Amino acid sequence: MAYTHRVPQAGAVGRSRIVAVEADVLGYNNELAAANRAWLAERGILALNLVSSPGSGKTALLCRTVTALMDQGEAVAVIEGDQQTSHDAERIRATGAAAVQINTGKSCHLDAEMVGKALNRVPLDEEGVLFIENVGNLVCPAAFDLGEAHKVVLLSVTEGDDKPEKYPDMFAAASALVITKTDLLPYVPFDVDKAVRAARMLNPDLAVMTLSSTTGAGMASWLHWIGQQRE
Amino acid sequence: MLEMALTHGILRLLEEQAATHGFSRVKTIWLEAGGLTEGDRHSLTFAFRAASVGTLAEGAELSLCNRPGGPAGLRLTDLEVE
């Protein structure tokens, strides 16, 4: 197989013919995502899709977040995506929140079909908040709509502050950027302003929050942002 | 493995189109996306060659057209079929 730069010419070419298609290659995923979105909307459930590199603190942030929301009397549930193991779902369940684990096997991202099946297993009341923790991967999950209201991208201060420049698709696809592990800022060279500037070059409307899931600093603004998405 | 998901998306569309338009073999597949890089071309071509063995598109040529400023998602525009 080789690349070709011939342009399709209408009509028959020898025994061949040209068929015009004009379809999105991930159209199947997008149809299932639309069905998930409708299912969630019928129940008044806010779904947030958390994406980041492995080790950025998605699970730690979720543990702290679901605890805070449950303390406020909110209904919450989590769908956990990982290649293997149910370690993350177990961490979430230890807070008392419901969690459904999806193992993606060889796949590097969650897709709308996997999430659609998991929705039937999520014990979540109407008007609740559903967090979907995607597979740790700053590339592929950007391309897959799961039916969520928003993608939230996490970037920890122990990573490079040039990640938005290196992995632009994810920062362009997200509605919010959460900079995590800010308690470690005194020990690392991460420049918060530089990272935020780079992310906003890609996505001027990006909401930005900085927090530490360890100390709780900054959690209030994150919880406030979640609350705003429900209005 | 995003390229595998894209490849499966392409094969799914080919099966649908084959049922609609009555063809049994695909010779050329024209695709386009905004911001396609050489890395994208390489990984998608590699994945497609691996996944299309034994399908109606085995041995098909991929024509990947970069559309600067176009949509980020990959679109299948045309097929050459028999």
Side-chain angles (χ1 to χ4, degrees), chain B residues 16-58:
Chain B
E16 286 174 9
Q17 293 292 319
T20 307
H21 295 284
F23 57 82
S24 56
R25 198 165 104 74
V26 178
K27 295 175 72 177
T28 312
I29 302 165
W30 280 274
L31 299 153
E32 65 176 33
L36 271 180
T37 66
E38 278 310 303
D40 294 329
R41 289 175 191 279
H42 171 81
S43 56
L44 186 59
T45 305
F46 186 88
F48 190 81
R49 188 161 49 201
S52 62
V53 172
T55 73
L56 75 174
E58 181 170 347

Side-chain angles (χ1 to χ4, degrees), chain A residues 125-211:
Chain A
D125 294 339
E126 298 205 350
E127 310 295 321
V129 184
L130 174 66
F131 296 96
I132 304 168
E133 182 180 338
N134 219 308
V135 178
N137 175 343
L138 210 46
V139 182
C140 306
F144 289 84
D145 184 3
L146 306 179
E148 73 276 3
H150 299 289
K151 286 187 175 71
V152 177
V153 60
L154 275 64
L155 175 58
S156 64
V157 303
T158 53
E159 300 170 64
D161 51 22
D162 58 352
K163 278 255 173 92
E165 296 163 74
K166 290 161 80 175
Y167 299 93
D169 290 359
M170 192 64 89
F171 292 86
S175 305
L177 164 64
V178 179
I179 295 181
T180 60
K181 309 189 189 181
T182 53
D183 53 304
L184 300 178
L185 273 172
Y187 313 105
V188 294
F190 189 95
D191 182 336
V192 173
D193 290 339
K194 181 185 165 195
V196 171
R197 256 197 322 274
R200 286 215 167 116
M201 284 282 283
L202 296 160
N203 186 346
D205 299 326
L206 195 66
V208 177
M209 289 146 278
T210 56
L211 57 80

